[in-house]
Amino acid sequence: MSETSLAKRTRGHIYGLDGLRALAIIGVTLFHMFPYTIKGGYLGVSLFFIITGYLLAVTSERGKNSGTYRVASYYLKRIKRIYPALLIVLVVSAGIYFVLERHVLDGFRPEFLSIVFGYNNWWQIAQNADYFTKITNASPFTHMWFLAIEIQYYVVWPLIFAIFLLLERIKGTKAAFLFLLIVTVVSAVITPIMYRPDNDVTRLYYGTDTRMYALTFGAIIGFAQNRNLLIRLPKGVAKIVGIPLFAVMIVVTVIAYVLLDGQYGFTYRGGMLLMTLLFGILLLLVTDRRLSLGKWLEAKPLVWIGAHSYEIYLWQYPIIFLFMYKRWDNTAAGPILEAILIVVLAWWLHWLTGVLLARKIPEKVFVMDLWKRIVLLAAAALTALCLVLGVIGITTAEKEKFAEKDELAAVLEQNQQMLQENQQQTDDSSAVSETAQPTPPATPAATVQPLAQEDLLYGDASLENAAEVSDTEVLMIGDSIMLDSSPQIKEELPDCYIDAVQSRQLYDTPEVARELINDGHLYKTVVISLGTNAPLTEEDVRELLDVFDSETSIFWVNLFGRTVLWEEEANQLLLDMAEEYPNLTIINWCDLIKPHVEEWLWGDREHPNPDGAKVLATLIREDIEVCMSKQGHAPAYFPQAEDSSVTDEDGE
């Protein structure tokens, strides 16, 4: 392609890119706001990557052909585009959290450095901060992994560009494209090869090597388009095919935004790659000037969103996280207010960074109405105040996010060892004699009255269960919440069999339950404590419940955690399931713990400390006993606590 034709094609604005940016940022924002509804909105990131790779190829080659491309000026332009807005958001957000939820800033300094220096994705991988299972390490800046990959690509792009041009000059165009194609294919196949259903997907989702293919794919499109190497149908045929294809691509994108869950194996076995290829086709269609699709995407709302997409991305998660953390999003107005704040702050940040980079206040400010100038001055003053508070918050925050984590880790390790020893003893005892397990004597059913609320410390006297309930030989299945409380549970229910491990996922548990049943550990009553490691889905909950028959009474401890951001949805799902499964009873740990977070939980505000573990164990026992008493069964353990409701046949 001649330099003249290249200049003609690349001169000025590339229509439609702002519209594509808008499509990408809308998907990502909706995913962050409604992760259980817009399950695939994270795919917008792949669209962003393709656009970035495409634009770097097109603009770099444009600069080369015009003689204006310089590596130093390239880096300076990227720094100006990225860092003023980024630093303002980081520090202002820190100032807001310093006032509203100061402990969120604990351990923030290493995270801050990882964001600023562009290695946040690898920092999060090291922290095992799963994008889809935001728990202890949840942060208002979790989304910065994306910016880290972009920064890393910006850094190496001059080298990639230089290698491409060198190969093209020495070996020819095919060799240059082969180089980019090899890089793209290698990056694309890493994820399907490395994916394992039982492994955390953090490494695959955040890795620069596993996501780079979208960037280099965008570069291939840009270079190929500049050289007229792409197959071009006749204009009439292109319109007949291209416009319907574009419509189909948009529909598929919307469907994928809603349905392609980031926990699906298909996502990592090719689903994300297929969507990236689709986005590449979408980019080709939009940038084909013969189709006018790019101009269709120049609607003012789309252009505004696209032009402010960087600022929207920076602001969205600090705002959304705050609303979730404070539970402000529980009302219908919550998401609306979130969206308004994101848009307003994005506009303000875009305007402010423009003023800072220009180092001059626009003249139109001085001719504004007085009230508008007052608003601008107030916004500037508030921004300055938040910056000061942010600096104070960052510099004075605790060094670690969770200072007691080593102590909790030791407790969990010790408890795991205890459970393994107990399980081995139980298995050995069962192998010798089925009667070796203790069976406390039962009180005749006729002597038992239902427990009243005043008889209980923490339990709920209104609970019922359609299946027969027993507090002997109870099967317990749980994650680290149950593991943390296992010694106290064994004190309250000495005859229970506990199978609890750290980081247990609900979707893995049905198989665990089947193995326990096959090993002879299914009794009349099962207690489940799961859900803090990933959002609950109806499909997974139903699959686990269906492992047990209707004659088995099931008790499920509901969820609480300041960083278990799916708490409300999960607890409502459990209540809905209890309506459908009469043998399911919900133990309401969430409402009990809320007023006692500082008193009964470790510093992670999720795991019970020794006092909280005693409370949880007592709650489980009492809720089981409530259901037993309504069935006329006396508790086998701690019967003295229910003396007022247990009498003999003569009423004495």
Side-chain angles (χ1 to χ4, degrees):
M1 182 177 183
S2 68
E3 292 189 14
T4 302
S5 61
L6 174 65
K8 287 181 179 179
R9 203 193 64 75
T10 58
R11 185 186 299 126
H13 181 68
I14 302 176
Y15 289 105
L17 288 190
D18 279 333
L20 289 181
R21 287 194 189 98
L23 179 63
I25 196 63
I26 288 172
V28 173
T29 305
L30 290 177
F31 169 70
H32 284 147
M33 292 179 67
F34 310 105
Y36 316 113
T37 303
I38 313 299
K39 298 178 181 179
Y42 62 88
L43 292 167
V45 167
S46 296
L47 180 53
F48 270 129
F49 281 149
I50 284 195
I51 294 171
T52 295
Y54 173 83
L55 278 176
L56 281 180
V58 170
T59 57
S60 296
E61 197 152 57
R62 179 190 300 169
K64 167 190 166 291
N65 283 279
S66 64
T68 59
Y69 177 80
R70 300 288 185 276
V71 173
S73 60
Y74 159 83
Y75 281 130
L76 181 60
K77 183 177 180 179
R78 297 298 151 194
I79 290 171
K80 287 182 177 180
R81 176 69 181 118
I82 294 171
Y83 281 99
L86 175 62
L87 292 173
I88 289 172
V89 169
L90 289 176
V91 181
V92 168
S93 297
I96 294 171
Y97 279 95
F98 180 70
V99 174
L100 297 178
E101 289 287 351
R102 187 171 304 185
H103 62 270
V104 171
L105 297 178
D106 292 347
F108 178 52
R109 285 192 290 277
E111 184 179 13
F112 178 84
L113 293 175
S114 74
I115 295 170
V116 171
F117 289 103
Y119 61 91
N120 179 258
N121 61 322
W122 295 109
W123 182 86
Q124 291 199 51
I125 289 172
Q127 298 296 311
N128 196 32
D130 189 345
Y131 192 71
F132 302 102
T133 58
K134 311 173 188 72
I135 48 175
T136 302
N137 287 322
S139 161
F141 309 105
T142 302
H143 65 316
M144 293 297 182
W145 69 271
F146 159 76
L147 185 59
I149 292 179
E150 291 245 322
I151 290 174
Q152 292 160 33
Y153 189 74
Y154 288 147
V155 170
V156 301
W157 170 251
L159 177 61
I160 294 173
F161 185 42
I163 293 173
F164 180 87
L165 294 179
L166 181 63
L167 286 172
E168 187 175 36
R169 187 172 69 250
I170 297 175
K171 298 291 186 179
T173 300
K174 289 184 179 180
F177 275 97
L178 181 61
F179 157 68
L180 279 182
L181 185 62
I182 290 173
V183 172
T184 302
V185 171
V186 169
S187 174
V189 301
I190 292 175
T191 294
I193 291 174
M194 291 180 60
Y195 175 75
R196 297 292 183 275
D198 55 343
N199 289 349
D200 183 8
V201 298
T202 304
R203 169 65 181 85
L204 303 179
Y205 192 81
Y206 285 165
T208 307
D209 53 345
T210 58
R211 302 305 296 266
M212 188 174 174
Y213 69 89
L215 291 153
T216 52
F217 182 41
I220 289 173
I221 293 174
F223 285 140
Q225 203 175 61
N226 283 350
R227 288 160 177 75
N228 278 333
L229 296 178
L230 299 172
I231 298 175
R232 293 171 65 87
L233 298 173
K235 185 174 181 180
V237 177
K239 286 186 176 182
I240 293 173
V241 175
I243 293 175
L245 182 60
F246 171 78
V248 170
M249 293 294 181
I250 294 296
V251 171
V252 171
T253 298
V254 172
I255 293 173
Y257 276 2
V258 175
L259 298 181
L260 194 57
D261 195 315
Q263 290 292 344
Y264 290 164
F266 172 72
T267 300
Y268 302 96
R269 290 180 172 134
M272 196 181 303
L273 175 58
L274 288 174
M275 288 304 302
T276 303
L277 294 175
L278 181 149
F279 291 147
I281 296 172
L282 196 59
L283 177 64
L284 284 171
L285 293 172
V286 169
T287 54
D288 188 336
R289 295 186 177 183
R290 299 173 304 160
L291 301 179
S292 300
L293 293 172
K295 292 185 178 180
W296 292 2
L297 293 178
E298 292 292 301
K300 287 185 178 180
L302 292 178
V303 170
W304 190 94
I305 293 172
H308 293 77
S309 58
Y310 178 54
E311 292 81 7
I312 292 172
Y313 190 86
L314 290 179
W315 272 122
Q316 62 178 253
Y317 206 66
I319 294 170
I320 294 169
F321 184 90
L322 180 63
F323 271 69
M324 290 189 293
Y325 201 88
K326 302 289 285 185
R327 304 303 193 257
W328 292 343
D329 60 346
N330 291 345
T331 65
I336 297 173
L337 184 56
E338 284 178 0
I340 292 172
L341 281 174
I342 291 169
V343 169
V344 170
L345 289 176
W347 171 84
W348 169 246
L349 181 63
H350 190 87
W351 185 87
L352 180 61
T353 52
V355 171
L356 293 175
L357 290 173
R359 291 179 292 182
K360 180 181 179 182
I361 298 176
E363 294 182 1
K364 63 180 181 180
V365 171
F366 300 103
V367 297
M368 283 182 176
D369 294 337
L370 179 60
W371 70 270
K372 291 183 179 179
R373 279 184 281 169
I374 292 174
V375 170
L376 279 178
L377 182 61
L382 184 59
T383 302
L385 175 61
C386 288
L387 287 169
V388 172
L389 292 174
V391 171
I392 295 173
I394 294 171
T395 55
T396 61
E398 296 291 337
K399 291 183 179 180
E400 296 186 19
K401 186 176 290 290
F402 174 31
E404 302 164 308
K405 64 180 180 181
D406 292 338
E407 185 178 354
L408 174 57
V411 168
L412 293 175
E413 183 178 358
Q414 180 181 350
N415 291 353
Q416 194 73 75
Q417 183 176 355
M418 178 203 73
L419 289 184
Q420 291 172 352
E421 293 172 355
N422 289 344
Q423 291 167 358
Q424 184 62 47
Q425 291 173 2
T426 301
D427 293 341
D428 292 344
S429 177
S430 298
V432 174
S433 171
E434 292 184 0
T435 61
Q437 298 181 18
T439 304
T443 304
T447 67
V448 178
Q449 298 295 324
L451 291 174
Q453 194 64 51
E454 57 266 22
D455 299 320
L456 307 170
L457 290 174
Y458 310 111
D460 183 354
S462 68
L463 297 181
E464 295 181 354
N465 196 293
E468 186 175 354
V469 180
S470 172
D471 61 350
T472 61
E473 301 180 340
V474 178
L475 173 59
M476 302 265 185
I477 303 175
D479 54 22
S480 59
I481 303 299
M482 181 177 284
L483 177 62
D484 184 26
S485 308
S486 55
Q488 292 81 1
I489 293 174
K490 290 291 288 185
E491 289 178 3
E492 296 293 313
L493 298 169
D495 205 23
C496 69
Y497 185 94
I498 304 176
D499 188 292
V501 296
Q502 292 185 61
S503 302
R504 173 168 280 165
Q505 299 281 356
L506 177 58
Y507 56 77
D508 292 328
T509 310
E511 185 59 34
V512 173
R514 293 186 188 99
E515 291 177 1
L516 290 168
I517 293 173
N518 292 336
D519 292 340
H521 298 300
L522 176 61
Y523 313 119
K524 292 180 180 178
T525 299
V526 175
V527 176
I528 299 170
S529 177
L530 291 168
T532 57
N533 294 305
L536 300 184
T537 67
E538 180 179 341
E539 179 183 3
D540 290 337
V541 173
R542 193 182 299 279
E543 183 180 0
L544 179 55
L545 293 176
D546 289 342
V547 171
F548 309 101
D549 59 37
S550 60
E551 301 301 314
T552 303
S553 56
I554 304 172
F555 291 77
W556 197 310
V557 181
N558 69 6
L559 312 184
F560 176 82
R562 298 299 283 179
T563 54
V564 180
L565 303 179
W566 53 88
E567 170 196 300
E568 183 180 2
E569 293 84 355
N571 290 342
Q572 184 58 53
L573 173 61
L574 292 176
L575 290 174
D576 294 341
M577 289 293 99
E579 292 289 330
E580 183 176 343
Y581 289 79
N583 63 324
L584 174 62
T585 298
I586 307 304
I587 297 176
N588 194 358
W589 169 243
C590 180
D591 285 348
L592 177 61
I593 195 65
K594 279 181 179 178
H596 304 281
V597 171
E598 303 294 335
E599 180 184 357
W600 289 344
L601 298 183
W602 293 97
D604 67 346
R605 291 169 172 77
E606 180 176 320
H607 291 85
N609 62 23
D611 290 338
K614 177 65 174 177
V615 172
L616 177 57
T618 303
L619 173 66
I620 293 172
R621 174 179 62 80
E622 289 188 342
D623 281 354
I624 290 175
E625 290 174 350
V626 164
C627 294
M628 289 177 61
S629 70
K630 291 184 178 180
Q631 297 172 354
H633 302 309
Y637 303 107
F638 301 93
Q640 68 277 9
E642 288 75 37
D643 283 346
S644 62
S645 60
V646 180
T647 61
D648 61 25
E649 291 183 356
D650 295 326
E652 298 178 357

